Amino acid sequence: MRNLKVMIAYRGTKYHGFQRQTNALTVQEVVERHVSKVLNQPVTICGCSRTDTGVHANNYCFNVKTDSRINCRGFVRGVNGELPDDISVLSCEDVPEDFHARFDCVGKEYVYKMHCSESKNPFATDLMYHYRRPFHLDIVKEAAKYFVGEYDFSSFSTDNTGAKSSVRHVYSFRIENSGDSVFMLVKGNGFLYNMIRIMVGTLIDVNEGIISPGDIPAILAAKDRLRAGRTAMAHGLYLNRVFYSEEEMFAEP
């Protein structure tokens, strides 16, 4: 039995997240259908994480076990030939049979993309959050520094019922801009449900003067979702990188 580690990218606009659902179209359902066709056997893929409806992925990892003898290059070409245009296989490799895309993951990096302009960008529809106000980079960066570290992030999650603990370690929170575009890159050992979107929404509230940068520690300590800011729109969020070793995770970008 072979175990294949597969990296894909997808545009999440048409999908209700990654994980299979009984009443909605998901990335997993579509990928499994076409991978099964190429491998000539029904398979279930194991994804590295869930993503919300409308969220995208620059790099998403899954593993799949198969008896097929297809080589990895043939797998990539074959599956890409079957998939719709909004999902792409980036790579495939043989890995040990006990590798699991979710349980062996040591960290992830997300990026949130914003287009900050009064005018909309027709090339960024459903791919960046259109924000019509000026963006005060220095103030938002000051607030974002308070997220770095190991904390209970209950204030920044809408549902912790499936999590054993609300404590997460955020290793870095970088904010970059290029022209009208703003990119927030968050790296950590794991994230609660809607955690990234609520952190971003809280920083948007900081930008608008609703929350002060110095309020962030008290919001964290409160462990109360009502103390944090808005939940940012899903279509600006991307799973950017998935890490399977600390060396890879802490390497300079």
Side-chain angles (χ1 to χ4, degrees), residues 203-246:
L203 293 179
I204 291 172
D205 282 355
V206 168
N207 184 69
E208 296 177 13
I210 299 169
I211 295 173
S212 297
D215 292 338
I216 302 298
I219 295 172
L220 282 164
K223 303 178 187 178
D224 179 0
R225 170 66 187 96
L226 298 178
R227 293 286 301 275
R230 70 190 78 175
T231 302
M233 299 293 288
H235 65 267
L237 184 61
Y238 296 67
L239 177 57
N240 195 44
R241 292 191 291 171
V242 186
F243 304 107
Y244 290 95
S245 72
E246 292 193 355

Side-chain angles (χ1 to χ4, degrees), residues 4 6-7 24 51 54 72 79 163 169 175 180 188 195 206 245 247:
L4 301 178
V6 182
M7 301 299 298
T51 55
C72 289
V79 178
H169 195 144
I175 304 176
D180 292 332
M195 179 174 158
V206 168
S245 72
E247 292 79 11

Side-chain angles (χ1 to χ4, degrees), residues 7-27:
M7 301 299 298
I8 63 172
Y10 59 83
R11 177 173 177 157
T13 306
K14 297 194 304 185
Y15 303 102
H16 289 256
F18 177 83
Q19 186 161 320
R20 176 183 289 277
Q21 299 180 30
T22 57
N23 59 350
L25 184 67
T26 67
V27 176

Side-chain angles (χ1 to χ4, degrees), residues 5 80 108 124 133 142 164 194 202 211 217:
K5 176 185 175 185
N80 274 336
K108 302 182 182 77
R133 301 190 181 199
E142 180 185 349
K164 295 180 180 178
N194 278 343
T202 299
I211 295 173

Side-chain angles (χ1 to χ4, degrees), residues 48-79:
C48 62
S49 70
R50 301 180 180 184
T51 55
D52 293 342
T53 298
V55 171
H56 317 289
N58 292 324
N59 283 278
Y60 185 98
C61 181
F62 71 82
N63 69 287
V64 59
K65 294 188 176 182
T66 179
D67 294 320
S68 173
R69 301 171 71 175
I70 189 172
N71 63 45
C72 289
R73 185 179 185 185
F75 177 93
V76 173
R77 287 185 170 183
V79 178

